[in-house]
Amino acid sequence: PTPKELREKLNQPLARPPADAGIVPIMTDAWGGTNGSDGAASSIAFERWLVPSEAAGSSQSNVPVLIALPSTRDQQVPLVFVNHGTTRCKSDTKVVSALSRYAERGWVALSFDSRYHGERHPEFADVIDAHFENAGAGGGTKGGNEKVADGADAVGGEATGFPLTLSEQQWGDMPANVRLAPYYSALITSWRSQPSVERESPFIYDSAWDASRVLDAVLSENMHGSLIDPARIGTTGISLGGMISWFSAASDTRFSVAAPAIGVQGFQYALDENVWQARVATLSGLFDAALQDAQPNDATDGKKDLDSDLVGQVWDAVVPRIRTDFDAPSSLALIAPRPLLIVNGEIDPRNPINGVESAVNVAKTTWSTVAGVDGTEGAESWEVELMSASGVAHEVTPEMWERIDGWFEAHFKSPHEA
């Protein structure tokens, strides 16, 4: 298929029942003068928003968004999405640090809670509903989710001075098994359900859909459309957030530059090379349930072990075609000719570097073969780079962040600055 055809196919499993067009984003809080990324006084401002993403009736219908704004707003500026990892949320220390750095550069930066994380834990659904009810009744934007005065890291309690909402604080205080229980439950339901437009894909796909809906909103007159340059929109993310960044850029061409961190991997490569274990361990609740489902009814048949065949079946159910049409070798090519930086640890067990290198090489070849054939993609050369951080496992080091920041800086320059 051509890039256009494959992107259209990718957007099919990403699609969710759309939100009512009459429901608009609402701001729930705003403040300025917070500490910058280095702890010094800063004039950047933060806002919290709720963005409708899909049809009402689900705890996941609305997306809590955290936005950092530059001090000077007299011209259009770039926008960067920073996606958090599993067990984290939009107010994670590393995410807030990146948002602050980018706002200090004069850009707009945002993060949102991915599916079932942070304020999207179903326990807080009534808080989100209260915001919309209060706004709809003309009572302002507050809905009973006040900031916690002396903020801490949303997971782990590390003091940061960044103000959290009460829901974020409660999310971080939950035991890990309670915090992730709704996420695992949704994944298990997806595994056990027949394909349908209602079936969720909370691992990667649904959050990629959310990213596009957040982009719709932030570019609209309801939010910051007049401030953001629509030709300079970047996306990055950590681990699960790197995957969301990868698929956001592959499915939505409005993302003009991408730099996913420790998230890109070859799903089929991991099965073929028997290196899937570390990735599967991050979704243990899902795979434990799948293994239980796979046990034979007759105990004399012996116990079934988790193997590459069963892992492949789970991937096929919860992220359809992730190891065929939409695996890294194919979907990375959908980002071309937009600049792509992939940041990975040399010894990352979740994203084996050999598989990432192979995917990038195949994607380059694919792009050179199909560029321009559908009339919508130019035949330009593609600037794609892979940073393999020596001796680094599954983490984003300061040097890796520096490379990501520099990538955006280089590709956000206006023509007269280049």
Side-chain angles (χ1 to χ4, degrees):
T2 66
K4 180 179 180 181
E5 290 170 342
L6 186 56
R7 188 174 294 110
E8 289 173 349
K9 289 183 178 181
L10 173 59
N11 275 294
Q12 292 171 7
L14 266 61
R16 299 292 301 153
D20 186 333
I23 304 177
V24 299
I26 59 170
M27 185 192 298
T28 61
D29 203 357
W31 70 98
T34 61
N35 287 342
S37 61
D38 60 357
S42 171
S43 59
I44 63 176
F46 283 89
E47 295 176 350
R48 293 183 181 274
W49 289 78
L50 289 172
V51 173
S53 179
E54 64 177 71
S58 163
S59 65
Q60 306 305 298
S61 297
N62 300 293
V63 186
V65 180
L66 177 66
I67 300 181
L69 298 167
S71 57
T72 302
R73 304 168 204 168
D74 56 359
Q75 60 182 348
Q76 286 193 316
V77 299
L79 165 67
V80 181
F81 279 56
V82 182
N83 299 294
H84 67 79
T86 305
T87 78
R88 299 288 169 165
C89 74
K90 63 187 178 304
S91 296
D92 175 67
T93 302
K94 293 182 176 64
V95 172
V96 170
S97 179
L99 298 181
S100 299
R101 288 198 310 275
Y102 297 153
E104 288 162 6
R105 280 176 159 85
W107 311 339
V108 176
L110 69 80
S111 185
F112 64 88
D113 287 333
S114 65
R115 296 277 166 147
Y116 296 96
H117 284 66
E119 293 181 289
R120 296 178 87 177
H121 190 289
E123 183 171 312
F124 310 130
D126 58 336
V127 177
I128 291 177
D129 290 343
H131 279 299
F132 279 98
E133 290 170 4
N134 201 18
T141 59
K142 295 292 182 182
N145 198 9
E146 301 85 0
K147 292 196 297 290
V148 176
D150 49 348
D153 187 348
V155 176
E158 176 188 350
T160 63
F162 188 80
L164 304 179
T165 65
L166 183 58
S167 295
E168 287 172 333
Q169 186 70 66
Q170 291 174 341
W171 148 265
D173 290 342
M174 290 177 180
N177 62 321
V178 176
R179 191 186 312 138
L180 292 179
Y183 181 49
Y184 283 151
S185 178
L187 287 166
I188 293 167
T189 298
S190 180
W191 152 248
R192 292 173 175 167
S193 301
Q194 294 298 314
S196 70
V197 294
E198 290 81 19
R199 185 172 74 171
E200 294 181 276
S201 293
F203 179 63
I204 307 176
Y205 285 179
D206 289 351
S207 291
W209 163 270
D210 291 336
S212 289
R213 304 293 72 77
V214 170
L215 184 55
D216 290 341
V218 78
L219 291 178
S220 73
E221 61 183 16
N222 295 309
M223 291 181 68
H224 294 292
S226 62
L227 176 59
I228 295 165
D229 182 351
R232 294 186 288 170
I233 298 174
T235 179
T236 186
I238 305 166
S239 194
L240 171 62
M243 295 181 179
I244 295 167
S245 174
W246 155 24
F247 276 87
S248 298
S251 62
D252 192 334
T253 58
R254 293 176 297 177
F255 289 101
S256 60
V257 53
I262 61 174
V264 173
Q265 71 167 93
F267 282 83
Q268 187 58 46
Y269 173 91
L271 298 180
D272 292 341
E273 299 299 322
N274 195 32
V275 289
W276 46 265
Q277 292 82 358
R279 172 59 61 198
V280 164
T282 68
L283 298 171
S284 58
L286 166 63
F287 285 95
D288 287 349
L291 183 57
Q292 181 179 1
D293 292 345
Q295 296 306 316
N297 294 325
D298 187 345
T300 62
D301 291 339
K303 183 180 178 181
K304 169 74 174 179
D305 293 322
L306 189 62
D307 56 21
S308 59
D309 181 61
L310 180 56
V311 171
Q313 293 176 44
V314 175
W315 291 142
D316 291 346
V318 301
V319 269
R321 299 161 70 179
I322 191 66
R323 59 194 186 102
T324 55
D325 290 345
F326 309 142
D327 205 350
S330 299
S331 57
L332 289 176
L334 297 182
I335 300 174
R338 293 163 288 152
L340 170 63
L341 169 68
I342 298 170
V343 174
N344 208 79
E346 178 191 31
I347 56 173
D348 188 341
R350 301 184 195 178
N351 312 299
I353 192 63
N354 290 342
V356 181
E357 290 174 343
S358 175
V360 169
N361 290 335
V362 172
K364 287 179 178 179
T365 301
T366 300
W367 170 249
S368 65
T369 302
V370 303
V373 298
D374 58 16
T376 60
E377 313 260 3
E380 306 99 316
S381 60
W382 181 22
E383 188 175 359
V384 54
E385 295 182 11
L386 169 60
M387 175 188 182
S388 175
S390 178
V392 175
H394 194 72
E395 65 174 312
V396 185
T397 65
E399 293 75 20
M400 294 160 81
W401 274 117
E402 184 177 353
R403 183 72 177 274
I404 292 168
D405 296 355
W407 187 258
F408 288 133
E409 187 81 56
H411 293 286
F412 283 159
K413 288 182 178 179
S414 58
H416 71 273
E417 294 175 315

